[in-house]
Amino acid sequence: MYTIYHNPRCRKSREGLAILEASGKPFEIVRYLDDPPTGATLRELLDKLGMPARSLIRTGEAVWKASYKGKELSEEELIAAMSEHPKLIERPIVASESKAVLGRPPEAIKNFLTD
């Protein structure tokens, strides 16, 4: 079973969802802007992705520029920022029980599904 953290207003996220749909594999959709992930969920995703929190943050977002830009933030502070402001989370993310991939580019999802 796969999970896609999806924002339907994002073209890359829609492309990632289409790849999942075409694969025929079972999956669930988490609309993370409507149902923000907890800090624990984000830590788990980051572990599966094998990346630090900063790599998952959309630094072009207004909330980042207004509240966080230029600050030295710990991993936990970055995770808390993403949980509080889910717009900061890069998308789409597709996760299985043991690993995850950031769908940028969306073709990364194809490779992930064939592993």
Side-chain angles (χ1 to χ4, degrees):
M1 175 68 122
Y2 294 92
T3 302
I4 182 169
Y5 291 83
H6 176 59
N7 176 354
R9 295 186 66 196
C10 171
R11 182 175 56 87
K12 297 288 186 201
S13 195
R14 290 191 307 271
E15 289 175 18
L17 179 60
I19 290 167
L20 261 177
E21 289 171 338
S23 77
K25 298 183 186 287
F27 67 93
E28 66 178 342
I29 299 171
V30 174
R31 293 177 72 160
Y32 68 93
L33 293 177
D34 298 331
D35 186 17
T38 64
T41 298
L42 285 167
R43 276 188 289 286
E44 183 180 324
L45 281 171
L46 288 165
D47 286 345
K48 288 179 181 183
L49 288 162
M51 66 174 52
R54 186 166 293 281
S55 297
L56 197 58
I57 291 184
R58 297 173 55 85
T59 58
E61 293 291 334
V63 67
W64 176 263
K65 292 175 182 176
S67 301
Y68 303 103
K69 186 177 179 180
K71 295 181 179 177
E72 286 293 321
L73 301 171
S74 70
E75 193 78 355
E76 288 305 310
E77 289 170 323
L78 292 168
I79 289 169
M82 286 188 282
S83 186
E84 184 177 344
H85 306 285
K87 267 184 127 173
L88 293 175
I89 302 170
E90 190 62 82
R91 63 210 175 233
I93 300 168
V94 175
S96 67
E97 283 194 32
S98 60
K99 57 187 178 174
V101 68
L102 180 59
R104 291 199 168 257
E107 292 75 30
I109 296 170
K110 286 182 186 176
N111 296 335
F112 178 73
L113 296 173
T114 59
D115 284 348

